[in-house]
Amino acid sequence: MRLLILGTGGMANQHAAKFKAIEGVSVVGGVDIVPERLAAFCTEHGIANHFTTLEEALAWGEFDAVANVTPDRIHHPTTLQAIAAGKHVFCEKPLATDAIKAMEMTEAIEQSGKVGMVNFTYRNSPALQKGRQMVLAGEIGQVRHVEASHLQSWLVGRHWGDWKSESKWLWRLSKKHGSNGALGDIGIHIVDFASYGSGLDVAHVFARLKTFDKAPGHKIGEYDLDANDSFTMNVDFTNGAIGTIQATRTAAGQMDQLRLRVYGETGSIEMIYDTGKSTLRACLGEDVHTATWRDVPFDPVETNYQRFVQAVRAGKTQEPSFRRAANIQKVLDKALASDLSHADEALG
């Protein structure tokens, strides 16, 4: 499989390294509107062909698939261009900045017959995959309550750099630069994590979003700091269970932690991804009477990168698909609407 990487910012390095490590995959081209960044990226990863526009790369055309690692608002137009050119697409999340655009992309890829998948990174957690299997196997009975959180701290700590001076962070705080804030950036991860891990779909959302005062005049240079920094959701699931889903970038002490607890009629399961480490615990059987939690072993799982390559070779999309990402985007759109209406919003 010959791969083109579109967008050569921070996350693109992960794509290049992961795809190059897969036997039979060649990263044959890179695209970026910033020539200096493009040149440095291609030199670092040994990529021979450089393009400053997608149009140039498509005119060349010597590749099978595109890894779209552009900023959020660029996903929609560039992915549609790649699909129209007959390319498979592995897109960073969110698929688009709203569900209407995401569904347009979904319908386009499905009609094309090409593979379209979205990089919900935390699907790579073996604890999540094993925990989901246990829930679906009925090991905790019918799910009644779900508790999920995604906690980061880069607004209060400098472990990932100084957000006040680096554009790679500042754009995530600015609506006019295409950001839907914490909701669009990490909210999409935790909603997928909670829904996938519990085996349930969200039916109703009641949400609150908060943007904190982070600079004089809520502005740094060209960046208006108006995107949300934290959110909470109360949700109903389609089976009648209820739950809470929350995320923030201000959780000092937490670099990147996703935690999901799924409580059922006969037991509970906790799935944690914490800055690269996965943990799975359960309270089952007789342990429910003593409130005893035990670690659950799990095996390694294939990554989204590996699943995408397999899907392209087989000519059949695997999960997480464009349609899955579009459905999760519907939840985020309803959360935004709920924050404005101060009312419960139903998923259509």
Side-chain angles (χ1 to χ4, degrees), residues 87 145 151 242 254 302 328:
K87 307 301 181 182
H145 193 94
L151 306 177
I242 62 171
Q254 303 290 353
E302 292 177 328
I328 295 296

Side-chain angles (χ1 to χ4, degrees), residues 7 9 12 47 120 163 210 214 234 242-243 276 278 280 289-290 305:
I47 300 170
F120 285 125
W163 66 266
K210 184 69 175 181
K214 299 181 290 297
N234 292 329
I242 62 171
S278 289
L280 181 62
H289 303 298
T290 57
Y305 306 99

Side-chain angles (χ1 to χ4, degrees), residues 64-66 68 75-76 78-91 95 101-118 308 311-312 315-318 320-326:
D64 309 298
V66 176
N68 193 337
H75 292 174
H76 174 259
T78 53
T79 294
L80 290 179
Q81 284 180 268
I83 294 170
K87 307 301 181 182
H88 306 283
V89 181
F90 184 71
C91 190
L95 184 58
K101 290 186 178 72
M103 194 54 68
E104 181 185 356
M105 297 159 72
T106 298
E107 292 172 353
I109 198 77
E110 290 178 352
Q111 290 169 9
S112 75
K114 296 297 180 179
V115 169
M117 293 173 59
V118 179
F308 177 70
V312 169
K316 185 177 181 180
T317 293
Q318 295 189 30
S321 65
F322 275 29
R323 185 161 292 275
R324 169 65 179 183

Side-chain angles (χ1 to χ4, degrees), residues 244-285:
T244 60
I245 302 175
Q246 62 174 327
T248 185
R249 295 160 164 170
T250 64
Q254 303 290 353
M255 279 196 189
D256 189 31
Q257 185 201 73
L258 291 83
R259 191 182 80 165
L260 171 63
R261 281 185 169 177
V262 184
Y263 300 100
E265 296 172 292
T266 60
S268 303
I269 294 175
E270 180 182 59
M271 308 161 220
I272 300 175
Y273 172 93
D274 194 345
T275 320
K277 180 181 178 181
S278 289
T279 305
L280 181 62
R281 302 193 312 148
C283 180
L284 305 171

Side-chain angles (χ1 to χ4, degrees), residues 123-136:
R123 291 284 189 98
N124 300 334
S125 166
L128 175 67
Q129 297 290 347
K130 176 65 174 180
R132 170 182 163 86
Q133 291 174 11
M134 294 171 69
V135 172
L136 294 180

